[in-house]
Amino acid sequence: MTTPPTGGFRWFGGDMHTENRPQRTAPRHRRPAALAALALVTVSAGAALAGCGGSGGGTVENASGQQKAGKKVLWIGDSIAGAEAPPLGAALTASGQHFKDASSDGGGTVVEGDKMSRPLAQDAWKTLKKNLASFHPDVIAYQITSYDWGTPAQQRASYEKLAKTARDAGAELDLVSAPPFKIDSFYKKYEGAIKSAPKAAKQVADASRGKVHFVDTTPLWGTEPTGKQARRSADGIHSCQQGSAAFAKWYTERLGKQNGFTPAAPQKWAQGSWTGDKRYAQLKCD
């Protein structure tokens, strides 16, 4: 197992919101590594696979047996994406690729929409500029956040700006739909924007002539946050190790098809110290 993603934990949950930024809770102790076995069983199940990081990388062999550098994948989103990042980093690293988690708990949105999302977006754009300069990604994967608040026109304009930014940086762009999550009292007034965001993203991808990919995660997560397929944690928003591992397998396979690499078998990455990431303890994952 390669070294798992590292980094500080920043939390928000269904009952932890404020009008500006979610509050943070103190970390708990790591959960037992035995959860890795559960993640492996989940990832290998098939039918069930039908939401603080670091970087890693390696090389893969092409058809002639020569080594070539792996792709650099920059992962962007909010804390839902953050909960998915540890196994995604492990899966991509085991597949010979490079990974950097640039998710931001309590933010991460690129949508320059209403007065609430605009300051978050300004932070996200600044962070993206720094990551483009330092990491030089081949793939920018943006999972639509729970903060993509704005009108459909504002959402489209922001995703188009992201597409242009990726193109100028020589990177392909994946706009990844978010898993279904609980619309609690904090999110209720933004429900319309949460529903329109993936539609706006798909419109941008459809108009890009193949330069932007819209990644519809509905086949993996379904549409109901309370459904078993959605694999939400007790807060109804984030995913625990098993759900995050399911996403890592599913999305790594898609990236492999897009970028010409063979995903590593789950046995090579699903059992590892990433399962003890402290964010899962905060989520009270078993």
Side-chain angles (χ1 to χ4, degrees), residues 77-98:
D78 57 12
S79 65
I80 299 176
E84 296 160 351
L88 181 58
L92 285 170
T93 298
S95 303
Q97 311 306 298
H98 304 256

Side-chain angles (χ1 to χ4, degrees), residues 244-256:
S244 296
F247 174 76
K249 179 180 184 295
W250 185 86
Y251 187 49
T252 299
E253 288 175 348
R254 181 184 177 95
L255 284 172

